[in-house]
Amino acid sequence: MDRVLSIATLPNLVAEVVRDFIEQPNSSSPYALLSLGRQIATVRLTSQNGHETSHVLQQVALDATNTGRALALAGGIALVLKELKQSDYMKWQSICDRLAAQPGTFGYADREMLQVWAELIGTVSVPHVSALVDEAVASGNESGARVLEALARTSYADARLVATSMHALAVSVLNAAELRHSNVDEKSTSVVLCTAEALAQRFLIDDAYVGVAQSDLWSLWLLVADSLACVHSGTLGIGGRAGTPSFRSTCSFLVGFAMRPSPAAGLLDASVRQLFAVLQPCLRFLGASSGLAQRATVGNARECTVLFYLDLLEHVVSRLQPHLVKSVVIPLAARYAEALNNMPEWYESAHALILAILESATTANREMCSVTMELVPWYTQVLLDQFPSDGISADLLQIALTAAIQSLANGHSSRLATALAWDCTKRLLKRVDDFQGTNAVHNARRRELLAVVAEQLASLPPELLPALMQEIDLRVDADSDWALKKHIVDTVQQVVLDKADLSRKPALSAWAWQLRARVNRFIESKL
């Protein structure tokens, strides 16, 4: 064909060769005909007698008995003419639409035709979008994924069909994985990830959703999010804990959409309620079973779905209504935060979610402050019970306990909040006193815990500082290990200099230097 195009000057000769290619299925694939159409448009339709050749080829396409192959060739021509902004483009687009509308054109199940449609969407009107979507999803291959991506970037109506079918595919592969007790299929995972990214890029960024109702956008958001959740075990298998690039990109769009400055009131909360009640009722089920002697269990694939939502909720929980956080989010996080159970990723994500809840308690969010007042005593005990052997390191204990006490100091001014902050501190001090004696391991744990106590000098409400300074004095003076004394004084001075706010620095600085002087005298006496 290349040779014919290079030497033929008569439009009729080109037309006869093209007719043979169209009518003989074994001569070339549909995608090859698309490429041929591109070549003809580039070589012949832009030449001196291009209009005559174009007219003859239009008649060949309309007269063809194999309309699917004719559509592939005509589509290739239309694509090039569109790119070159040729006057014949509208005629070829009209011919493509007529061919696509004829019975027998839809070879959707054919992989080559799916490749053709992936190129033509946006140029040619698709007469039966739902049929094309179904075949693209059923194909489970790259061609089908490209069709879904292309449709996702068109109108909202088409994108909604794509999103619904994508979600159905994701749910089906999750259910199949649960029956097989394995991770979800990687090919299906790739299809879902590519489609979800295209949908998010088209509708979930700032300049894309103009003209679409907010409720429709949130419905799309929910379908995309739950589709990612359903195939998360496959994502972990392909890209590890961080996920694939398309997974990370889509998640960033989901979070960005939810965290917009002025989201429609209540729509995020409604989406989360639907998630817990309808799409993934296992989330409420697992949260309700938290703390029971015989805890409910689910399969690995479903647990990966839960892991996805723990991570997602961490980033959007500050936008949720406090009563929703209290009733559904905290119970789910508590299930995985209470014990490591050989599930380090879930354990880590659950604690990260709880910390995000604590950070959201500010004077600007009084209702969330009430939630954290109930959360902090339980969480403090969980942290202390799990230190140091059940997953809580000294660093994590310091970060988490400081955040818990800080949430009480930041968001509350009541006596109850102050009493709770001191109660948490006393529990920490009791844990310090549990590690007594000359045992080297106990001394190391005592040193770590006293460093955590010192951190609270920058976190506790100011009225509690004298009591805390007295407690630190008692333990430093009573300890006979000069190295431990020096370590604690160094930590205290670092906290006072680097972390304490200006209002508490004068009193803390004077006290810290007095403590330093006593420790120095003790060390000198031992030399």
Side-chain angles (χ1 to χ4, degrees):
M1 186 63 196
D2 292 344
R3 186 178 179 186
V4 172
L5 288 176
S6 63
I7 64 175
T9 58
L10 296 177
N12 288 336
L13 178 58
V14 176
E16 288 301 320
V17 174
V18 168
R19 182 180 287 107
D20 289 342
F21 271 97
I22 292 175
E23 300 299 344
Q24 296 178 17
N26 296 328
S27 62
S28 60
S29 67
Y31 194 76
L33 283 172
L34 181 79
S35 300
L36 176 60
R38 288 179 179 273
Q39 190 176 7
I40 290 173
T42 303
V43 175
R44 283 297 165 211
L45 301 193
T46 57
S47 61
Q48 187 174 3
N49 59 347
H51 287 292
E52 184 180 353
T53 304
S54 177
H55 178 75
V56 174
L57 289 177
Q58 289 171 15
Q59 198 59 45
V60 169
L62 291 172
D63 292 342
T65 57
N66 193 324
T67 52
R69 292 171 62 81
L71 173 62
L73 180 118
I77 294 174
L79 289 172
V80 171
L81 295 180
K82 180 180 181 181
E83 293 171 4
L84 299 177
K85 298 181 180 180
Q86 295 291 310
S87 58
D88 273 358
Y89 160 64
M90 298 301 295
K91 292 182 180 179
W92 279 103
Q93 184 187 39
S94 175
I95 289 172
C96 289
D97 291 343
R98 288 172 61 184
L99 290 171
Q102 292 185 27
T105 301
F106 317 110
Y108 290 161
D110 181 83
R111 180 174 181 175
E112 293 280 351
M113 279 305 295
L114 285 176
Q115 288 181 306
V116 170
W117 278 109
E119 299 283 346
L120 296 184
I121 291 170
T123 299
V124 178
S125 300
V126 183
H128 301 288
V129 175
S130 59
L132 179 55
V133 170
D134 291 343
E135 292 295 347
V137 169
S139 70
N141 55 39
E142 183 181 355
S143 299
R146 289 181 60 200
V147 168
L148 294 174
E149 287 181 64
L151 285 172
R153 294 188 173 95
T154 56
S155 66
Y156 174 79
D158 291 350
R160 181 56 192 247
L161 288 173
V162 171
T164 302
S165 295
M166 172 193 67
H167 184 252
L169 171 64
V171 171
S172 68
V173 297
L174 173 61
N175 292 336
E178 286 192 298
L179 291 175
R180 298 192 307 267
H181 302 287
S182 64
N183 291 337
V184 299
D185 177 65
E186 287 193 4
K187 288 186 176 180
S188 298
T189 297
S190 297
V191 171
V192 170
L193 291 178
C194 293
T195 308
E197 183 180 23
L199 287 165
Q201 286 179 337
R202 173 63 180 86
F203 291 99
L204 300 182
I205 56 179
D206 289 343
D207 59 349
Y209 44 77
V210 176
V212 181
Q214 287 291 316
S215 58
D216 290 337
L217 290 172
W218 278 103
S219 296
L220 194 66
W221 184 92
L222 189 58
L223 289 173
V224 171
D226 198 50
S227 297
L228 291 187
C230 289
V231 300
H232 193 37
S233 65
T235 303
L236 295 172
I238 297 172
R241 184 70 175 93
T244 63
S246 61
F247 173 81
R248 295 194 299 271
S249 172
T250 308
C251 287
S252 68
F253 288 131
L254 291 172
V255 172
F257 185 79
M259 298 300 290
R260 290 174 299 161
S262 300
L267 289 176
L268 175 58
D269 296 271
S271 298
V272 173
R273 287 193 196 93
Q274 185 177 354
L275 170 67
F276 276 78
V278 181
L279 296 181
Q280 295 292 346
C282 70
L283 298 177
R284 186 181 288 273
F285 172 65
L286 291 171
S289 70
S290 176
L292 297 179
Q294 185 65 39
R295 290 155 63 100
T297 59
V298 294
N300 177 66
R302 188 71 65 174
E303 290 278 19
C304 291
T305 297
V306 177
L307 177 62
F308 172 85
Y309 279 117
L310 288 173
D311 292 338
L312 181 63
L313 288 169
E314 174 195 348
H315 292 92
V316 303
V317 70
S318 62
R319 290 299 180 92
L320 296 177
Q321 291 297 317
H323 65 85
L324 187 62
V325 174
K326 179 180 177 180
S327 61
V328 298
V329 177
I330 291 178
L332 180 65
R335 172 188 171 87
Y336 293 93
E338 286 178 331
L340 186 57
N341 287 339
N342 298 317
M343 301 176 70
E345 293 88 355
W346 286 256
Y347 183 78
E348 174 188 336
S349 294
H351 280 277
L353 175 54
I354 292 174
L355 291 179
I357 295 171
L358 295 174
E359 289 175 5
S360 67
T362 63
T363 53
N365 193 350
R366 290 289 185 182
E367 292 184 25
M368 189 66 82
C369 293
S370 300
V371 173
T372 59
M373 287 180 68
E374 298 180 36
L375 174 63
V376 167
W378 164 84
Y379 189 50
T380 299
Q381 198 58 50
V382 166
L383 294 170
L384 295 175
D385 289 344
Q386 294 179 5
F387 175 83
S389 58
D390 293 331
I392 297 294
S393 65
D395 289 339
L396 180 56
L397 177 64
Q398 175 182 314
I399 293 170
L401 194 58
T402 301
I405 294 176
Q406 189 75 53
S407 71
L408 294 173
N410 286 348
H412 306 271
S413 58
S414 66
R415 292 181 179 179
L416 177 58
T418 303
L420 285 175
W422 185 241
D423 177 69
C424 294
T425 306
K426 288 198 297 184
R427 295 188 197 188
L428 173 58
L429 292 167
K430 182 180 182 302
R431 193 74 175 112
V432 171
D433 296 337
D434 289 341
F435 293 99
Q436 297 283 6
T438 58
N439 183 290
V441 174
H442 279 200
N443 281 341
R445 296 292 175 252
R446 184 177 174 84
R447 175 182 299 197
E448 291 170 342
L449 287 171
L450 281 171
V452 177
V453 172
E455 288 287 333
Q456 307 321 309
L457 292 167
S459 306
L460 278 175
E463 57 266 33
L464 296 178
L465 289 180
L468 179 59
M469 290 187 286
Q470 182 179 7
E471 294 290 345
I472 294 175
D473 281 339
L474 289 173
R475 284 160 180 79
V476 172
D477 291 342
D479 208 296
S480 60
D481 184 347
W482 69 267
L484 186 145
K485 288 175 179 282
K486 183 179 183 302
H487 173 74
I488 298 306
V489 172
D490 290 342
T491 303
V492 165
Q493 288 198 319
Q494 182 181 1
V495 170
V496 172
L497 291 173
D498 298 340
K499 299 182 180 180
D501 56 55
L502 291 176
S503 64
R504 61 182 73 195
K505 273 187 186 293
L508 286 178
S509 297
W511 165 75
W513 282 113
Q514 292 174 5
L515 183 63
R516 167 71 72 182
R518 294 204 308 274
V519 170
N520 286 345
R521 287 195 296 269
F522 176 84
I523 295 174
E524 290 172 359
S525 69
K526 297 298 182 180
L527 295 178

